[in-house]
Amino acid sequence: MNLSTEKPRHVCVLGAGIVGLATAWQLQRAGHTVTVIDRARAGTGASAANGAQLSYAYVQPLADPGIWQQLPRLLLASDSPLKLRLMPDLHQWAWGLQFLAACRASVSQRTTVSLLALAAESRQGFDHMMAEERIACDFSATGKLVLYPDEAAFAGARRQMELQRPLGSVQHALSPTEAVAVEPALAGCAQRFAGAIHTPGECAADCHQVCLALERLLQARGVRFAFDSSVNRLLRSGERVVAAETPRGAIEADAFVVALGTGSHPLARSLGLRVPVYPLKGYSLTVDANDAPGATPRVSVTDAARKVVFARLGQRLRVAGMAELVGENTAIPADRIASLLATARDLFPDASRYEDLQPWAGLRPATPTGLPVIGRLRGGPDNLWFNTGHGALGFTLAFGSAQRIARQLTGSAHTGPSH
């Protein structure tokens, strides 16, 4: 990584999802002039209707040794929550091989340590922003329960809990009866899981509402937004990027931050750089919530076996999950939404009328290890930073990675890229 103590006057942030907007927020607070470019509008990509959980203490990466036992089902079962569709795409194959290479206990443990540190920093940044701005985003701090279907899975979760305990995570292993005491809405399915990990300090919020509020706040403070503007390429002069070329003209700046999610890879490749980010497709539905006692969960719940999460957002219930490596594909197959709906009705039959489902699909930008790419790349332009690859933890990690980018840009700290 090239080091610099230069403080840019004008920073261009590419991407207006939660990561890009958090980055713009931190940079504006640090005194920079900021421009944000996005091919659509604020919060319309992977931030629009994600799982809504802020999982600061539960960050186990997808690349885990247990994935090897799931490979046959992952590749062959039509109803698997993890799906891989092999395509004639060298990037997909390279990413997949790196992902499998990362499915080792030593790598998973190192990743967990790094993610917990970043999550703790992100919590501090998000909490500070919320205390200062009082954003209306259906925020709750009611904790999280992760349900495990059998004793083997529960034992693995307890091992992960013990790994995280010395790193500051406060978690408890609960029996089904104890889990129901924490979340009474689980009473009807207590006999169908072996145990649960309870993280009392976890939170939830509507990421899209946060994005829209940040856009309003930043505009009021002079941040310029160029929406409906794809970045065709970055114009380079020597060792520096001088402008981002869009259909509406070139936008010049002193420094550039790429927070384009899955679009970060092709943009980096156009500069001869490699960013190991691949789309990890997920789905969600959002339904009305029944306020009757014990009907709708108030604690966030994750069904570990079916890879489905539940988060209460005011008078709504967000149901999200699945992970598919199927390329840049945002289609919403009816069977995937039907699967989410079946899981929701199975666990929480009285939580909603389940009529207006508001189905959604989004592409999480994932790295093979689960660690995001934060910083400049070796061999890259001196004034080009990347903030991408957060996978399913984009909302959780956004403000921490934004703070790291802001520190690097102001020269007060220098952190190399993580991937």
Side-chain angles (χ1 to χ4, degrees), residues 198-390:
H198 181 217
T199 311
E202 301 288 58
C203 307
D206 188 321
C207 184
H208 188 234
Q209 290 181 0
V210 174
C211 288
L212 295 179
L214 286 175
E215 178 196 351
R216 290 192 298 269
L217 290 166
L218 289 169
Q219 282 186 330
R221 294 169 191 181
V223 172
R224 176 192 170 198
F225 285 86
F227 287 136
D228 303 312
S229 298
S230 298
V231 178
N232 297 328
R233 61 176 178 146
L234 294 175
L235 303 179
R236 187 170 179 172
S237 176
E239 297 302 313
R240 297 179 66 79
V241 172
V242 295
E245 185 181 80
T246 78
R248 301 185 180 185
I251 297 177
E252 298 180 350
D254 299 308
F256 297 80
V257 180
V258 179
L260 289 171
T262 61
S264 302
H265 166 75
L267 189 65
R269 186 175 55 190
S270 72
L271 295 172
L273 304 173
R274 183 177 172 277
V275 174
V277 170
Y278 192 82
L280 197 63
K281 185 178 181 181
Y283 301 89
S284 78
L285 53 88
T286 307
V287 295
D288 65 289
N290 182 354
D291 255 345
T296 305
R298 294 193 174 276
V299 173
S300 293
V301 174
T302 297
D303 183 330
R306 289 181 277 196
K307 309 288 190 223
V308 175
V309 303
F310 299 83
R312 181 72 178 264
L313 297 173
Q315 296 304 306
R316 299 168 295 151
L317 178 66
R318 175 70 48 78
V319 185
M322 306 181 189
E324 300 179 351
L325 274 75
V326 293
E328 293 280 342
N329 178 344
T330 55
I332 307 177
D335 65 324
R336 302 309 261 173
I337 297 303
S339 177
L340 284 180
L341 179 59
T343 298
R345 281 178 163 158
D346 182 43
L347 290 183
F348 305 113
D350 300 320
S352 171
R353 293 170 294 176
Y354 295 112
E355 293 175 350
D356 180 13
L357 302 181
Q358 300 180 41
W360 174 85
L363 303 177
R364 313 176 189 104
T367 64
T369 62
L371 283 176
V373 179
I374 305 172
R376 282 178 284 186
L377 302 184
R378 290 182 179 87
D382 293 341
N383 64 335
L384 180 65
W385 278 259
F386 285 83
N387 191 7
T388 188
H390 299 72

Side-chain angles (χ1 to χ4, degrees), residues 6-370:
E6 178 186 2
K7 181 176 180 178
R9 295 181 302 276
H10 179 198
V11 185
C12 185
V13 177
L14 312 183
I18 187 59
V19 172
L21 290 167
T23 302
W25 165 262
Q26 294 292 350
L27 291 171
Q28 191 277 330
R29 285 175 56 83
H32 299 286
T33 299
V34 180
T35 296
V36 179
I37 307 176
D38 197 277
R39 65 183 179 182
R41 309 291 297 183
T44 55
S47 303
N50 58 27
Q53 293 184 347
L54 291 161
S55 298
Y56 298 116
Y58 196 88
V59 296
Q60 184 173 9
L62 184 62
D64 181 85
I67 204 74
W68 291 101
Q69 296 176 347
Q70 302 176 43
L71 268 181
R73 176 171 170 78
L74 185 155
L75 292 170
L76 301 174
S78 61
D79 62 344
S80 171
L82 301 174
K83 182 181 289 187
L84 170 61
R85 187 177 70 207
L86 295 177
M87 297 180 293
D89 178 358
L90 290 178
H91 178 43
Q92 185 199 53
W93 283 76
W95 190 96
L97 290 172
Q98 287 182 302
F99 172 78
L100 291 176
C103 292
R104 293 177 285 136
S106 59
V107 176
S108 179
Q109 289 175 7
R110 288 197 302 271
T111 300
T112 296
V113 171
S114 297
L115 289 177
L116 281 173
L118 180 57
E121 187 175 346
S122 194
R123 180 171 203 153
Q124 179 271 329
F126 181 79
D127 287 352
H128 181 79
M129 182 276 295
M130 287 291 290
E132 190 172 286
E133 303 298 343
R134 306 290 181 181
I135 286 176
C137 59
D138 287 323
F139 176 83
S140 63
T142 52
K144 181 167 78 170
L145 283 164
V146 182
L147 314 181
Y148 293 92
D150 52 51
E151 186 51 45
F154 189 33
R158 293 197 299 272
R159 289 192 294 271
Q160 180 72 12
M161 183 183 71
E162 293 305 320
L163 168 67
Q164 296 183 169
R165 190 186 303 279
L167 304 173
S169 293
V170 177
Q171 298 174 303
H172 310 285
L174 305 183
S175 69
T177 300
E178 292 170 328
V180 171
V182 171
E183 179 47 73
L186 289 169
C189 62
Q191 72 281 5
R192 282 177 275 153
F193 60 93
I197 299 297
H198 181 217
T199 311
E202 301 288 58
C203 307
D206 188 321
C207 184
H208 188 234
Q209 290 181 0
V210 174
C211 288
L212 295 179
L214 286 175
E215 178 196 351
R216 290 192 298 269
L217 290 166
L218 289 169
Q219 282 186 330
R221 294 169 191 181
V223 172
R224 176 192 170 198
F225 285 86
F227 287 136
D228 303 312
S229 298
S230 298
V231 178
N232 297 328
R233 61 176 178 146
L234 294 175
L235 303 179
R236 187 170 179 172
S237 176
E239 297 302 313
R240 297 179 66 79
V241 172
V242 295
E245 185 181 80
T246 78
R248 301 185 180 185
I251 297 177
E252 298 180 350
D254 299 308
F256 297 80
V257 180
V258 179
L260 289 171
T262 61
S264 302
H265 166 75
L267 189 65
R269 186 175 55 190
S270 72
L271 295 172
L273 304 173
R274 183 177 172 277
V275 174
V277 170
Y278 192 82
L280 197 63
K281 185 178 181 181
Y283 301 89
S284 78
L285 53 88
T286 307
V287 295
D288 65 289
N290 182 354
D291 255 345
T296 305
R298 294 193 174 276
V299 173
S300 293
V301 174
T302 297
D303 183 330
R306 289 181 277 196
K307 309 288 190 223
V308 175
V309 303
F310 299 83
R312 181 72 178 264
L313 297 173
Q315 296 304 306
R316 299 168 295 151
L317 178 66
R318 175 70 48 78
V319 185
M322 306 181 189
E324 300 179 351
L325 274 75
V326 293
E328 293 280 342
N329 178 344
T330 55
I332 307 177
D335 65 324
R336 302 309 261 173
I337 297 303
S339 177
L340 284 180
L341 179 59
T343 298
R345 281 178 163 158
D346 182 43
L347 290 183
F348 305 113
D350 300 320
S352 171
R353 293 170 294 176
Y354 295 112
E355 293 175 350
D356 180 13
L357 302 181
Q358 300 180 41
W360 174 85
L363 303 177
R364 313 176 189 104
T367 64
T369 62

